[in-house]
Amino acid sequence: MKIETMIFAIVGLFFLPVAIVYGFMTAWTEWVGVIGLLLAFGLGIMISSYIMVTGRRVGLRPEDREDAEIHEGAGEQGHFSPWSWWPLVLGASAAISFLGVAVGWWILFIGAGIAIVALVGWVFEYSRGDHAH
């Protein structure tokens, strides 16, 4: 994971001088761009540090070694919910929320309510037994 760590660190560190140059070019009067670029810097550094810590904990993956064979990467890659409908409900609630921003703010609260229900349902999906939703 060293390559991924370096890529995100370089991307994150790129935005710090860009934010400073942008601030000087706008005479520090336009704060949205400076704050956005500083947030991009923080995001890159945050992802880089997470990947670095995870890489130390997990160890070398087959993708990280040059002598790895293809069959070493085979097998289970994680646990996913193949029959879950909650991501679809969460996506629909995001669409309703964005519609609320465009049309009327009252619709945003309906989308937020549906999103809370969808998140709770998705998180506790396996607390009631496999596929019992």
Side-chain angles (χ1 to χ4, degrees):
M1 291 192 181
K2 289 182 181 179
I3 293 174
E4 292 97 337
T5 302
M6 289 303 299
I7 288 173
F8 280 105
I10 289 170
V11 167
L13 291 174
F14 168 76
F15 284 109
L16 183 62
V18 169
I20 295 169
V21 168
Y22 184 82
F24 280 116
M25 290 187 72
T26 60
W28 302 100
T29 57
E30 201 277 308
W31 286 100
V32 176
V34 174
I35 292 173
L37 290 169
L38 288 175
L39 287 174
F41 159 72
L43 182 67
I45 296 301
M46 184 175 58
I47 293 172
S48 174
S49 60
Y50 172 76
I51 292 174
M52 182 178 62
V53 168
T54 304
R56 287 182 184 166
R57 188 186 66 206
V58 173
L60 287 177
R61 302 173 300 168
E63 300 92 48
D64 296 330
R65 297 189 348 249
E66 295 205 15
D67 63 336
E69 297 288 329
I70 294 175
H71 65 85
E72 293 180 41
E76 187 173 323
Q77 299 294 323
H79 177 72
F80 304 99
S81 301
W83 296 285
S84 178
W85 287 90
W86 292 114
L88 183 65
V89 176
L90 191 61
S93 69
I96 291 170
S97 298
F98 289 131
L99 177 71
V101 172
V103 175
W105 286 99
W106 62 274
I107 300 175
L108 176 71
F109 298 114
I110 296 172
I114 297 171
I116 290 171
V117 171
L119 281 173
V120 169
W122 200 4
V123 167
F124 293 111
E125 181 173 36
Y126 288 103
S127 296
R128 299 179 356 200
D130 286 340
H131 316 300
H133 44 278

